Amino acid sequence: MMHRIGTALVRSWKPLPGVLAVQGATQGCRVRKFSSLPPADDSSSEEAKDRAWRQELEARKLFSMLRSLKGDARRQMFQRMVQQRTANIFHFNLMISSSRSVKESRDTWETLCKSGLKPDVVSYTSMMRSEVKAGNLSAAEKIYSAMVANGVGPNV
C-alpha cells in the first residue's frame, strides 16, 4: 500500500492512520524521499500534484524493470521507451553505464542528445568511463571539456 506524506513515498503492508505524519511514527514501513515530487504545500492543483506523483512512480517502475533485464531484452525495452518518449535521464544513464561497447555507449549518447534531455554528471562520467575503457583518452578529455563548458561540475 502506497501513501504520500509531503515529498515522502511511504510503502506499508497495512493501512496507516493519519498519525503517521507525526515524526518518528513510521514504524512498520519504508519511507523514501523523492525530491522531484511536488511539495505538499505547492500552490498547484491537487490534480497536477497527483499526475506528477503518478508519473514519478511510473518512471521508477520502468527503471527497476529496465535494470533487471539483461542484454538484448534491455536494449529492446529501452528502444521502446525512447520511441514512446517515456525514457528519462536515469534510463539513459543506466544504458550508457551498462553498455558492452563504446559504440553502444556512443549510440545511446547521441540518442540522449537528440531526445532534448540535458546530460547530467552521471551521463558524462559514464560516457568518459566507456571511452577510457576502450583506450580513447583524447575522446574522454573532450567529453570532460564539453561537461565543463555545459556548466556541469565534476563529482569528485
Side-chain angles (χ1 to χ4, degrees), residues 131-142:
E131 293 289 355
V132 167
K133 280 203 285 190
N136 303 328
L137 298 179
S138 62
E141 289 174 355
K142 288 178 185 176

Side-chain angles (χ1 to χ4, degrees), residues 6 19 25 59 62 75-76 110 114 119:
V19 79
L62 286 172
R75 259 190 312 287
Q76 289 171 359
E110 287 176 21
K114 290 176 185 174

Side-chain angles (χ1 to χ4, degrees), residues 96-155:
I96 292 170
S97 64
S98 66
S99 294
R100 291 181 281 186
S101 69
V102 71
K103 182 190 179 324
E104 202 174 301
S105 295
R106 288 176 184 162
D107 291 344
T108 305
W109 182 264
E110 287 176 21
T111 306
L112 169 63
C113 294
K114 290 176 185 174
S115 74
L117 293 172
K118 183 180 176 191
D120 62 3
V121 67
V122 177
S123 309
Y124 284 107
T125 304
S126 298
M127 196 59 211
M128 283 188 285
R129 184 178 296 125
S130 177
E131 293 289 355
V132 167
K133 280 203 285 190
N136 303 328
L137 298 179
S138 62
E141 289 174 355
K142 288 178 185 176
I143 293 169
Y144 179 80
S145 299
M147 179 178 76
V148 172
N150 288 326
V152 178
N155 60 349

Side-chain angles (χ1 to χ4, degrees), residues 29-40:
C29 61
R30 290 185 304 189
V31 178
R32 291 183 66 190
K33 289 281 220 174
F34 297 132
S35 58
S36 60
L37 295 176

Side-chain angles (χ1 to χ4, degrees), residues 12-109:
S12 71
W13 53 89
K14 60 185 175 186
L16 297 171
V19 79
L20 180 65
V22 177
Q23 191 121 24
T26 58
Q27 189 175 15
C29 61
R30 290 185 304 189
V31 178
R32 291 183 66 190
K33 289 281 220 174
F34 297 132
S35 58
S36 60
L37 295 176
D41 59 342
D42 193 356
S43 61
S44 62
S45 71
E46 284 299 314
E47 185 177 313
K49 290 180 201 175
D50 288 341
R51 188 172 40 254
W53 180 251
R54 284 191 302 275
Q55 288 173 344
E56 179 70 22
L57 288 177
E58 186 63 28
R60 289 179 183 277
K61 240 191 312 187
L62 286 172
F63 181 80
S64 294
M65 287 173 50
L66 187 64
R67 189 175 55 196
S68 68
L69 295 173
K70 302 289 181 221
D72 290 335
R74 178 184 282 179
R75 259 190 312 287
Q76 289 171 359
M77 181 181 172
F78 178 70
Q79 289 303 323
R80 281 194 306 266
M81 291 169 63
V82 169
Q83 289 170 353
Q84 296 170 355
R85 299 193 182 276
T86 56
N88 63 24
I89 193 67
F90 302 110
H91 302 127
F92 278 98
N93 290 344
L94 175 66
M95 293 305 293
I96 292 170
S97 64
S98 66
S99 294
R100 291 181 281 186
S101 69
V102 71
K103 182 190 179 324
E104 202 174 301
S105 295
R106 288 176 184 162
D107 291 344
T108 305
W109 182 264

